[in-house]
Amino acid sequence: MMTRLLYSLTRWWRCYFLLLVASILSFVLIYVSKNDPSLEYYFPYFRLGSDYYNFYASGGAAKIKKLMEANNLDYELIVSNSKFCISYDPFDDGPDIDFLILSIGQTQNFKHRIAARSTWAKYLQKLKSKLVFVVGKPNSPQKTLTDEIQKHEDLIQINMPDHENYTSTKTLISVRWALTYCSKAKNLFIVSDSAVLNLKKFKSIEKDNLIQKYAINGQCDYSDENFAKALHLFFQDLNLKKKNESNAKMHKIDDYTGQYCSNLGWIISLEGARRLWETALSSPYMMKISPAYLNGYLAYKAKLNYSNLFKYQDTLPINKNCLSVFEKKPEFLLCAENFTISSRYSNYIAHWKSPAQGQLNLSKL
């Protein structure tokens, strides 16, 4: 009886306590979102997962609307590495590089870069290709990064937050860099720094002439319908605002359905990249809202097709590494790895060096 009485007396106090804790956490989250620029812009997505359409439709997305009307593609380069694409043969008017691989990552992922340099990237020159790593500016200076830049000369650094929410922006700035300093490259291959490349499959791409000139070439069977709905609402709102303005250009409400390509990697010709960049300059800035923006919506606006040519292992292989994946599925072009996990890094390197690793047969590349 006494136990029941105590439970009854304390029940309401427990409810009040939980409500107090929830309120404190909410205030902390709001405070952090106002003081962390990377989280401020991403707050609706952070708060509601992928349901940003309902958030937008509810009228509570003032921050996101303001962001969508801005266009922030003027980040400068800290390390430009402008001589990275110097001609192999100055008397040759043809393309110097069949594939310029832009590995988009973060400063802290140095193990990803070590793994690439010491394995598949070593053979790229045989395939008339080059790899450059793209990073942002970390919160505090890192001497190891400075040493890495000087030692390997294969990095460009952008003066922008080195945060995963800025990956699409970082990618577009790296496209701008390629158009400026690597204008004789034939194709750009945009990859995540977690990507491992299947060299045998990669070699067959150019040999079989698979790349479509005005297309995003990749694994393009992804869809984000919520993002497409949010776009429709955004342009409706924008046109309503402009109706009463003189000489205001109305935005066409597109029929974009939400299709996009895997961000583990995608290939675009230099001509297609130029069209994508020019389209980005005249489009609303929505890159922190959905991964579908860059190689989905922007590609649609730039009148680029989606060439669903390739297959990837775009989730982390379970109990095996990417080389094992390629041995069993040689048709896969890319595989995702996480080299920040030491066991995965050591297992991958050991497998690469193993004499039994015969599927790639790199000596015959």
Side-chain angles (χ1 to χ4, degrees):
M1 187 71 177
M2 183 63 69
T3 306
R4 286 185 180 182
L5 181 63
L6 285 171
Y7 178 82
S8 178
L9 288 171
T10 58
R11 181 177 57 182
W12 296 110
W13 287 107
R14 287 200 302 274
C15 292
Y16 288 135
F17 176 74
L18 289 173
L19 184 62
L20 178 64
V21 170
S23 300
I24 292 170
L25 287 173
S26 299
F27 280 119
V28 168
L29 185 59
I30 291 169
Y31 175 80
V32 170
S33 73
K34 287 182 177 179
N35 291 276
D36 182 346
S38 62
L39 188 56
E40 177 184 1
Y41 293 138
Y42 218 60
F43 182 64
Y45 184 86
F46 177 80
R47 177 177 160 188
L48 294 173
S50 61
D51 199 13
Y52 35 72
Y53 166 70
N54 289 329
F55 185 87
Y56 192 104
S58 70
K63 284 183 180 179
I64 223 169
K65 287 184 181 181
K66 184 178 178 182
L67 176 66
M68 289 166 103
E69 292 168 0
N71 203 331
N72 191 13
L73 291 173
D74 56 355
Y75 290 108
E76 297 297 324
L77 298 171
I78 299 171
V79 178
S80 67
N81 210 341
S82 58
K83 295 182 180 179
F84 182 79
C85 291
I86 55 173
S87 176
Y88 295 143
D89 182 355
F91 301 104
D92 182 8
D93 292 331
D96 291 325
I97 303 170
D98 283 342
F99 292 93
L100 174 63
I101 303 175
L102 299 165
S103 178
I104 314 298
Q106 295 172 263
T107 304
Q108 67 200 34
N109 293 343
F110 62 91
K111 274 194 173 180
H112 293 67
R113 297 190 290 275
I114 294 171
R117 289 188 192 107
S118 60
T119 57
W120 57 267
K122 291 195 299 185
Y123 298 86
L124 289 177
Q125 193 164 345
K126 285 185 178 182
L127 304 176
K128 215 174 179 184
S129 301
K130 296 191 80 171
L131 169 68
V132 65
F133 298 97
V134 184
V135 298
K137 184 181 180 181
N139 292 330
S140 55
Q142 295 189 9
K143 186 178 183 302
T144 52
L145 179 65
T146 305
D147 294 342
E148 185 183 359
I149 290 169
Q150 292 174 351
K151 179 179 179 181
H152 296 285
E153 300 181 335
D154 61 357
L155 281 98
I156 61 173
Q157 187 180 21
I158 306 169
N159 191 15
M160 63 180 296
D162 204 18
H163 191 282
E164 61 183 6
N165 293 348
Y166 290 79
T167 300
S168 294
T169 314
K170 195 183 288 180
T171 302
L172 268 177
I173 302 301
S174 67
V175 167
R176 183 189 72 186
W177 174 88
L179 292 171
T180 304
Y181 297 113
C182 294
S183 58
K184 290 184 74 177
K186 191 174 178 182
N187 302 289
L188 304 183
F189 192 175
I190 315 292
V191 299
S192 163
D193 67 353
S194 64
V196 175
L197 181 63
N198 182 350
L199 288 168
K200 263 197 167 180
K201 178 65 178 176
F202 181 58
K203 183 181 180 182
S204 71
I205 293 173
E206 185 66 18
K207 179 184 173 185
D208 298 338
N209 198 24
L210 295 177
I211 303 303
Q212 294 184 26
K213 189 174 182 179
Y214 291 106
I216 303 293
N217 301 271
Q219 183 171 296
C220 300
D221 53 359
Y222 293 79
S223 182
D224 189 343
E225 293 176 5
N226 279 338
F227 177 56
K229 290 177 183 178
L231 281 173
H232 283 251
L233 286 178
F234 170 70
F235 286 118
Q236 285 174 10
D237 288 354
L238 208 58
N239 286 340
L240 282 174
K241 288 179 186 176
K242 293 191 172 189
K243 231 175 185 180
N244 300 323
E245 298 175 14
S246 58
N247 301 321
K249 183 181 177 183
M250 304 296 279
H251 284 271
K252 180 185 174 184
I253 299 176
D254 298 306
D255 296 324
Y256 174 64
T257 60
Q259 183 178 0
Y260 70 102
C261 306
S262 169
N263 284 286
L264 185 63
W266 45 282
I267 299 172
I268 187 169
S269 70
L270 201 71
E271 294 86 349
R274 186 170 287 108
R275 190 187 283 186
L276 189 71
W277 169 254
E278 289 169 354
T279 303
L281 291 175
S282 59
S283 298
Y285 181 73
M286 310 175 193
M287 284 175 268
K288 300 187 190 77
I289 300 171
S290 168
Y293 177 76
L294 180 53
N295 64 33
Y297 174 68
L298 267 192
Y300 170 86
K301 286 282 287 180
K303 294 182 170 55
L304 298 170
N305 298 318
Y306 306 104
S307 176
N308 193 25
L309 279 176
F310 306 121
K311 293 181 179 179
Y312 306 153
Q313 171 74 37
D314 54 2
T315 56
L316 200 64
I318 300 172
N319 299 327
K320 55 187 176 183
N321 62 46
C322 282
L323 295 178
S324 302
V325 171
F326 295 151
E327 287 166 5
K328 292 180 180 178
K329 297 181 178 179
E331 72 277 12
F332 279 22
L333 177 63
L334 292 174
C335 173
E337 265 294 1
N338 184 357
F339 293 123
T340 56
I341 302 172
S342 295
S343 58
R344 297 200 70 91
Y345 174 80
S346 57
N347 181 267
Y348 171 81
I349 296 296
H351 193 137
W352 182 275
K353 292 179 178 179
S354 168
Q357 200 265 112
Q359 187 271 334
L360 293 176
N361 201 2
L362 300 173
S363 61
K364 293 184 178 179
L365 279 175

